[in-house]
Amino acid sequence: MKSTFLQGAVALGALALIPATTAALADGEASSYKALDEFMDVFQKVRSDYVEKVDDEKLIKGAIDGMLASLDPHSSFLDARDFQNLRTQTEGSYGGLGLSVTQEDGAVKVIAPTQDTPAWRAGIKAGDYITHIDGQLIYGGTLDEAVDKMRGAPGTSLKLTIVRTGRDKPIEMSLTREIIEIKPVKWEVKNNIGVINIVSFSANTGADVRSAIRSIDKSLGHKPTGYILDLRSNPGGLLDEAVSTSDVFLERGEIVSQRGRNKGDVERYYAKPGDDAKGLPVIVLVDAGSASASEIVAGALQDQHRALIMGERSFGKGSVQTMLPLSNTTALKLTTARYFTPSGRSVQEGGIQPDIKVPQLSDPDYKDRPKFRESDLRRHLINEIKTDDAALEEDSKEDPRFAQTAEELKKKGIEDFQLDYALKTISRLAGTPGATIAQAQQAAARKPGAK
């Protein structure tokens, strides 16, 4: 407890700062009012002198969008249409292709395709650019216009023109729209191992993962050898569901913390007692499309030494967006905090580094296709601890186990090299409940068939 003298000193210090603070606030308000006057001058000039009559609401929305776009890539104003789209993504379904996209310098860029959707089956990759829809150039239009053209009635077709780095010519493809059901969790059993794929972190994802574990156990009639949690190409979603999913595999300990503008703005999330996987080996698969909530789960299980992270470095989105309702149909999505893993790491820019780096050799474009990450976005938040992306990507030694081509793997019946590698690693851990990361790494390093 502070002494009376210290309390008095603090009070005096605060009082002494009041005049200076008041003066600074007055200067700041004067500057703001001047800037608002300039804005109104421009607004009135556009209304009166622009070559065509412009709708006032369009001008104001453009000003709001510009203001938020100057902050970071993830803060935005949601009008009635955007608000409904967000609800659809987290709660419902729609007719479309199953793509997460963004806009970069007027071009539509793919963040990630959703698994088992028309876009995913057509082979669209993260980092691809969509230049034409049904032969019409979409460059320079709005992202909403492009999304509207890609969505539509199930069963209807459209043509996309894709530009991919490493390919000399554009890729033409025809796709048929389907109902894109927002089913965040899918599961299957392979080689006595439970494989749980999380497509996105929407409502009830954590509960669905628990249900998947029970279903896997029931289908086998006993516990599996272990579990694979597939978070590849998962763009993220709700923070609470990332916490809930992490808690499925943790007995105790911190899952994630989020820190706001001020030092005191810290909120921590902890696991509740009870590991649904009962200490069995867990491997988490990530890649450059694993973002946000996916990275929270991977970071928590990695730092708590509960799972082996395998695959490629993740996207690197370490910021928290808060939905601030403005009316019944509009809201402000504003970046309000950064999140940190239990060990205090920020994944902003740098992402989650896998314990075992395993390339997706079954993708024939793997070596030529560029990796699209948070650090590539304009005005992204800077990590307080500067990350050298080039150093993270560098791999000076060629691993002989990763020398096979996609064609060679296909002949062996391996269509997903990363998943196949994870399955074999867990099989080598059979009979080792609660295996340590070191044991898992040793198992991953052993050649197939070795004991």
Side-chain angles (χ1 to χ4, degrees):
M1 182 178 294
K2 295 180 180 177
S3 67
T4 304
F5 172 77
L6 285 175
Q7 289 175 341
V10 170
L12 287 172
L15 288 171
L17 287 173
I18 287 176
T21 302
T22 303
L25 285 173
D27 289 343
E29 288 181 359
S31 177
S32 297
Y33 286 134
K34 182 179 179 181
L36 287 172
D37 286 341
E38 290 177 346
F39 168 76
M40 288 305 300
D41 289 342
V42 173
F43 178 71
Q44 293 295 349
K45 287 292 184 183
V46 172
R47 292 181 72 203
S48 61
D49 298 341
Y50 187 66
V51 66
E52 295 178 351
K53 187 176 180 179
V54 184
D55 181 67
D56 286 355
E57 288 187 9
K58 180 179 180 180
L59 290 177
I60 293 171
K61 185 178 185 302
I64 293 173
D65 289 343
M67 174 175 59
L68 294 171
S70 71
L71 301 176
D72 66 79
H74 308 294
S75 295
S76 61
F77 171 73
L78 304 181
D79 59 16
R81 179 186 178 282
D82 296 330
F83 199 72
Q84 181 58 42
N85 283 341
L86 182 65
R87 290 189 60 185
T88 296
Q89 292 171 13
T90 57
E91 299 174 8
S93 62
Y94 62 92
L97 305 178
L99 275 175
S100 294
V101 294
T102 187
Q103 194 163 40
E104 184 178 282
D105 297 330
V108 176
K109 192 172 189 177
V110 176
I111 296 176
T114 302
Q115 288 195 20
D116 294 326
T117 62
W120 185 78
R121 290 191 292 270
I124 296 177
K125 308 292 184 182
D128 285 350
Y129 289 93
I130 301 173
T131 61
H132 295 74
I133 298 177
D134 286 331
Q136 293 185 346
L137 181 68
I138 60 171
Y139 178 82
T142 68
L143 188 61
D144 286 344
E145 289 170 346
V147 170
D148 284 343
K149 289 180 179 179
M150 287 187 280
R151 289 187 178 179
T156 58
S157 299
L158 78 165
K159 294 181 179 180
L160 295 183
T161 303
I162 302 291
V163 172
R164 179 177 299 167
T165 303
R167 293 288 186 96
D168 295 333
K169 296 181 179 180
I171 305 169
E172 304 283 348
M173 55 180 66
S174 296
L175 299 90
T176 301
R177 298 181 181 92
E178 296 178 1
I179 287 290
I180 308 300
E181 293 284 352
I182 310 300
K183 293 182 178 179
V185 179
K186 303 173 184 178
W187 66 270
E188 61 181 329
V189 175
K190 288 180 174 286
N191 304 336
N192 201 51
I193 296 167
V195 179
I196 302 172
N197 176 240
I198 303 180
V199 176
S200 64
F201 287 88
S202 51
N204 302 315
T205 296
D208 288 346
V209 172
R210 283 191 167 86
S211 177
I213 288 178
R214 291 194 297 269
S215 297
I216 289 167
D217 296 352
K218 185 177 180 180
S219 69
L220 288 170
H222 55 80
K223 280 286 181 185
T225 305
Y227 300 94
I228 293 174
L229 190 62
D230 191 348
L231 301 181
R232 292 173 297 174
S233 296
N234 183 321
L238 303 176
L239 171 65
D240 289 346
E241 295 305 321
V243 171
S244 179
T245 298
S246 302
D247 194 15
V248 171
F249 300 95
L250 292 172
E251 182 69 38
R252 64 181 67 84
E254 183 177 309
I255 292 173
V256 68
S257 63
Q258 64 177 55
R259 307 175 193 180
R261 177 193 296 183
N262 302 316
K263 288 185 177 180
D265 295 340
V266 179
E267 189 168 359
R268 300 182 185 275
Y269 300 83
Y270 295 91
K272 299 173 184 176
D275 174 1
D276 290 66
K278 306 300 181 186
L280 290 171
V282 177
I283 287 179
V284 179
L285 287 175
V286 296
D287 63 11
S290 305
S292 192
S294 300
E295 295 171 296
I296 289 176
V297 175
L301 299 186
Q302 186 178 54
D303 281 4
Q304 297 292 359
H305 306 290
R306 179 61 187 91
L308 181 74
I309 312 302
M310 186 177 286
E312 304 169 85
R313 181 164 65 92
S314 62
F315 185 78
K317 179 182 177 294
S319 59
V320 178
Q321 281 69 49
T322 301
M323 296 298 297
L324 305 172
L326 301 175
S327 70
N328 290 333
T329 57
T330 62
L332 179 62
K333 185 174 74 169
L334 191 66
T335 299
T336 56
R338 289 179 169 89
Y339 72 77
F340 294 79
T341 68
S343 66
R345 291 181 297 158
S346 169
V347 304
Q348 180 65 21
E349 294 190 278
I352 297 292
Q353 276 287 91
D355 299 302
I356 301 277
K357 184 177 179 181
V358 179
Q360 184 56 303
L361 299 183
S362 47
D363 177 1
D365 297 310
Y366 170 75
K367 290 186 177 180
D368 296 326
R369 184 162 46 84
K371 301 298 188 295
F372 171 53
R373 293 191 170 92
E374 173 81 4
S375 55
D376 297 314
L377 299 177
R378 286 190 172 186
R379 292 179 291 276
H380 63 272
L381 294 180
I382 303 300
N383 192 338
E384 293 93 336
I385 303 174
K386 183 60 181 173
T387 303
D388 186 348
D389 286 354
L392 288 173
E393 295 292 355
E394 183 180 359
D395 191 358
S396 57
K397 293 184 179 179
E398 186 72 22
D399 193 322
R401 293 171 296 171
F402 303 147
Q404 300 176 84
T405 66
E407 188 175 340
E408 290 171 341
L409 290 169
K410 192 172 183 179
K411 289 179 180 178
K412 294 180 180 179
I414 299 175
E415 296 184 356
D416 187 337
F417 180 74
Q418 290 174 325
L419 178 59
D420 182 75
Y421 200 92
L423 289 166
K424 289 174 180 175
T425 300
I426 286 193
S427 294
R428 295 176 204 132
L429 286 171
T432 316
T436 65
I437 294 298
Q439 289 172 314
Q441 289 173 322
Q442 290 169 6
R446 289 203 299 266
K447 293 181 179 180
K451 298 292 185 181

